[in-house]
Amino acid sequence: MSQLVFDPSKVMDIDYTQRTEYLDGLEAIKAAHKVLKEITYTPSLPDKGYTNRTLYVNVGTHEITEKPVTQQMKDVFIGGRGFGLYHLWNAVKSTTRWNDPENEIIISPGPVAGMTQYAGTGKSLVVSLSPQTDIPIDSNVGGFYGPLLKFSGFDALELQGKSDKDIILFIDGVKGIIRIEEAPTDPVDSHVLAEVLTHMYAENEKDLPNISVVSTGAAAEHSLIGMLNFSFYDRRRKCVRFKQAGRGGIGTVFRDKRIRALVVRGPKVAGDLNHPADPETIAKTGIKFHKEMRENDGTQCMMRRNGTAHIVEIMDAYDLLPVHNFQYGSHPDVHKIDSSYWQQRCTQHTVDGCWYGCSMACAKGADGLVLKTGPYKGDMVTVDGPEYENAAGLGSNCGVFDPDYLLELNFYCDTYGICTITYGTLTAFVMECYQRGILNKERTGGLEMTWGNAEADLEMMHQMARGEGFGKIAGLGVKKMKEHFIKQGWGDPQLINDIGMENKGLEYSQYMSKESLAQQGGYALTNKGPQHDEAWLIFMDMVNKQLPTFEDKAEALYYFPLFRTWFGLNGFCKLPWNDVVPADNSSQPEAHKVPEHVQNYVDLFSATTGVKIDKEELILQSAKVYNFQRVFNIRMGKGLRLHDAAPYRSLGPVTKEEYESRAERYDQQIITEMGLDPAGKTTEEKMALHRQWRTDRFSKLMDSVYTRRGWTLDGVPTLARLEELGLDAFPEVVDVVKQHL
Amino acid sequence: MKQLVIDFQKCDAGRNCNHECEMECAIKVFKVDDPAQAALQIKAYEDGGGKAILCDQCGDCVVVCPSEALKRNKLGVVMIDKQLCVGCYMCIGFCEKDAFMRNPDWIVPHKCTSCGICVKVCPHGALSIVDVSEPAVRII
Ligand code: SF4
Ligand code: SF4
Ligand code: SF4
Ligand code: SF4
C-alpha cells in the first residue's frame, strides 16, 4: 500500500464555527434546579500527581465524604483503573448486580493525568459493575473531567446509591463547593445537555474551558449499552465536544442511579498543577515527543489529519476490516469511508487534542452535518470522529458505506449515550440474523434490517432512545438477544451462538481475528471482555509473523495486556505509544514494544511521582491490578476458563459462503496446517476440519497463556502468583482464589 | 508583519563580538542575566560559518497552541498571553526553526517579539527588522 499524501486543497470548505445552538431554555432550566445538599470543602492541588484524597458521594442518601488515599492504595493500585477497582471491590458483594444501590461508578484520573507537556495525558478511568457482563468494566476516556477533578482536590470520585429524582452533582474546585441539585427539566441528550450545563456553570466566557460535564442520553436509559460522554470545551469551534467512556454500559448504571450529569468547575489550567517531582525531565520528554510528532506523523500514521480512521484502508487491504458481522475482511465500497475521504471531510485547521498538550490530536471533528432523521432532524451539528471503530462498526460491519449516514449514526450514538462499538456489533448481528431468516420484518416490528439499510438502522437507534419496539430488544446487547432468539425458537441455536460476537456479555470491537490466533486470545482472554485495548496483536502475529509459536503468542498475551493496563493506572492514552514511533525505531531491539517510548513512560511516571521505576517495575505495577481484576471477576462468578470461550465466528468461518469466499486460503491451511488433502472433500467436510483445528489450537493457546500468566489451567491466579505480587496482603482476595484451587 | 532578519555577510557568528544581541535581548526583554535565555541564538560553526536561530513570525506555533495563548498582534507579531498558556510546549516542538524558547525556571515558554532591541546593539549592524507580508496559515 502506498502512503496517503495529505492535500490541503481538497479539504472541504466547511465553517467549523457554525452549528445549531441550544441555549434558549437555559434560564428556565436553571431556575428549576433545586439544591438538595451542599457542602463546602478546601480545594487543593496535587502534590507529585496525587491529591491524597478521594471523594465519596451517595446519590441516594446525599452523604458526601472525603476519604484519604493510603500508601497501600498508591503502592498496589497506583491510581486510575486501579483506584476504581479497589473502591468497587470494597463497595460490592459477590451477589451485587449492576442495578443494586451498592454498585458504584468510580472516576479516577491517575497520578500522571493532568500533565500538559506530553501527548495523551488527560485520561479518566471509569469503573463499575457492568449491566452487560456482571463483572467490573473499565473504560479509558478523554475530555477534561478527570484532570479538572484532580485539580479540584480529588484523586477519584466514587458514586454510590440510587436517587429517586434526576440529579446533578456539581463540584466547584475554585470556590470549594460540592452540591447535589435536583434537575427536573434538564435536556436529556448529551449534545444539548452538556452545552447548557457548560454555560450554566461557567462564570463567564473565559471560564468555559474550565468546565467539564459527564452525561449520557436517552438510549442509555432504555438499553444496557449506555456510555458516558466526557466533555471538553473546544476553543476554536466554540462548542462543547466529547470523548466517550463507551464499553460495558456504564451510562446505563449512571441513569439507573438517576444521575443526569456530573459537572466540575476546575481552576484555570497551567503547566505545573500536578506539582511533579522533576518538571525538567517532563519538559524535555514532552518536547522530544512533540518534535517526533511533527517530523514523523505525516509519513507514518497521519493521526493529526485522520485520527484513528487512518487504518480503515489498511485493515481492508489485509482482509481484516469487519464486513457484514465479521463474515468478511474487505469490501469494494470501503474507499467511500476510508481516510482519504475523512481527511477531506474533517476540519483540519484546528486543534483536536482531547486534553492540553496532545500533539497527536486524533480527536477529529466533522462539522456542518445537517441531520436527516430523528428528534434533531434539520439541526446542524459537529460530529466527533469518526474514529476507526465507528467507521468499521457502524460502517463496513453493517454494510453502511454512505459517509453522511455513517456520521449521523455516529452522532446519534454519541448524543443518545450508547457505545458505538457495541451498537455496531449488535446491529451487524441483527442484520445477519435478518439475512439468515432468524429475524424478519414481522419479528423486528417492521424494520428492514438488510445490509447497508442506514435508515432502518437509524430508526432502530431512535427506538432504543424512545424505549420502544425492536430497538429495545436490540439494546439488550448480543448476549441477551441470542438467548431471546433461541428461546423464541427463531433459528438454529448453534448458528445464533456462532455468529453472535460477544464474550463475557460484551460485544467484540472492530477487528477480524479469524487469521490471528494471538488476537483471538487478545479478545477472549481479557478481563473485561473483547476490547482491543488489552492486546492488539493482529499485525505482529498475522502480517509480520513475529509470533510463530504458542509460547511467543503467550508471551505477547502476557506482556501487552499488562503494558497496556499501565496506561489506565496513570491516566495515559495508549495512542501516542505506538501511533507514532521514533525514526530509528525499527532498528531497535524489541521494536514492536517501541522501547524509546516505554522509557519515556518510565521517566514521566518517575518524574511525576518521585517514585523511581524501570520498565520491569512498570509491568509489575500492572500485574498487581490485572490479577486483582481477574480475581474480582472470579468473585463475581466469572473469570474462569469457561468464561474466556470465544464465539466461533471470531475463530473461523461459520458459514459456507464465508468458507467459499476465501476457499483458497482455507484449503491451503488444510494442507499446510493439518497435513491433509482438501481434494474431493465437500465444503461442509472442510469446514468441520477447520473447526476442529481452530478450536483445538485456541484451547492450546489458553493453556499456554494461563501458564505464562501464573494461572491454573482453569484461569485462576495461583497463590504463588498472588504472593509474588503482594496480593496475599488482602485476605479476601486469597479467599476467593482458594475456593477455586 | 515585523520580522527580525540577519545578514550573515555582516555577522560572523560572534567571533568578533560578545553576542551583544543575545545579552541585550535576555536582559532587556526577558529580564534575565543569561544569554542562553534570549529569543535569538547565534551559533558558530567550526568551518567558519554560522547559524542564527531566529523567529520569522511564521505563525506555525499559533496553529498548534491548544489554549489560544498565541495570537498575532497588530504588527503581525506572534505574541504569547501568559495567562492563557498551559505550558504544553507544543509550540516549541512544532517550531521548525527551534525559535520558541524555554527557560527551565519558568513554566511558560518565550519567543521573539520583533521588538528590535537586539538590532540596536549589534556592533556589525547585522540585524534588522523588516516588514514582510504575513504568510498563509498552514495546516500542521
Ligand atoms: S491521541 Fe487522541 S485520544 Fe489520545 S489523548 Fe490525544 S487526542 Fe485524545
Ligand atoms: S516561534 Fe517558531 S513557529 Fe512560532 S512564529 Fe516564530 S518561527 Fe514560527
Ligand atoms: S506552551 Fe503555551 S504558548 Fe506554547 S503551545 Fe502550549 S499553551 Fe500555547
Ligand atoms: S527582536 Fe527583540 S525579542 Fe526578538 S531577538 Fe531581538 S531583542 Fe529579542
Side-chain angles (χ1 to χ4, degrees), chain B residues 3-45:
Chain B
Q3 186 186 58
L4 177 67
V5 289
I6 190 161
D7 180 352
F8 264 111
Q9 304 289 88
K10 295 179 183 161
C11 172
D12 63 356
R15 288 182 190 82
N16 288 305
C17 73
N18 296 313
H19 290 258
E20 282 85 349
C21 55
E22 291 170 7
M23 203 60 204
E24 192 76 353
C25 175
I27 293 172
K28 292 266 172 61
V29 185
F30 299 110
K31 321 283 179 222
V32 282
D33 190 11
D34 174 9
Q37 305 310 332
L40 82 170
Q41 297 290 324
I42 310 291
K43 311 237 186 260
Y45 291 150

Side-chain angles (χ1 to χ4, degrees), chain A residues 116 236 268 280 294 304, chain B residues 65 83 86 88 93 102 140:
Chain A
T116 57
R236 305 289 211 279
K268 197 186 76 61
E280 189 55 21
R294 163 166 67 82
R304 290 178 62 81
Chain B
C65 174
Q83 287 306 310
V86 297
C88 70
R102 185 180 68 89
I140 296 159

Side-chain angles (χ1 to χ4, degrees), chain A residues 530-641:
Chain A
Q531 167 76 351
H532 54 281
D533 69 344
E534 265 204 22
W536 192 84
L537 303 171
I538 299 183
F539 259 66
M540 272 172 72
D541 189 32
M542 193 197 107
V543 180
N544 301 333
K545 312 250 182 266
Q546 289 162 314
L547 308 172
T549 67
F550 279 97
E551 286 66 36
D552 296 327
K553 294 182 209 295
E555 183 58 34
L557 285 167
Y558 166 77
Y559 176 82
F560 286 104
L562 294 183
F563 178 66
R564 285 166 168 253
T565 291
W566 193 81
F567 294 124
L569 306 183
N570 284 290
F572 277 118
C573 173
K574 167 264 150 193
L575 299 174
W577 160 53
N578 69 348
D579 279 67
V580 70
V581 296
D584 66 350
N585 186 60
S586 61
S587 62
Q588 300 298 314
E590 299 197 295
H592 58 289
K593 292 184 179 173
V594 199
E596 188 178 319
H597 286 182
V598 174
Q599 189 57 43
N600 287 352
Y601 289 117
V602 164
D603 294 343
L604 293 172
F605 178 87
S606 302
T608 301
T609 61
V611 178
K612 291 265 172 295
I613 62 163
D614 56 22
K615 61 181 202 261
E616 284 77 28
E617 178 68 23
L618 180 158
I619 295 298
L620 184 65
Q621 288 182 335
S622 289
K624 292 177 191 173
V625 177
Y626 193 82
N627 281 274
F628 179 82
Q629 189 167 355
R630 181 75 177 182
V631 177
F632 202 156
N633 286 353
I634 299 170
R635 179 186 180 213
M636 302 310 292
K638 286 192 176 169
L640 303 175
R641 186 180 187 107

Side-chain angles (χ1 to χ4, degrees), chain B residues 77-131:
Chain B
V77 177
V78 174
M79 301 292 286
I80 181 166
D81 179 340
K82 289 188 191 174
Q83 287 306 310
L84 287 177
C85 172
V86 297
C88 70
Y89 306 144
M90 291 211 300
C91 49
I92 300 180
F94 279 76
C95 172
E96 287 175 357
K97 292 119 208 165
D98 291 325
F100 222 120
M101 304 295 177
R102 185 180 68 89
N103 179 338
D105 294 337
W106 303 336
I107 190 74
V108 174
H110 59 283
K111 70 178 289 299
C112 171
T113 60
S114 287
C115 66
I117 287 177
C118 53
V119 173
K120 294 186 195 125
V121 297
C122 174
H124 306 295
L127 292 164
S128 52
I129 296 279
V130 294
D131 216 341

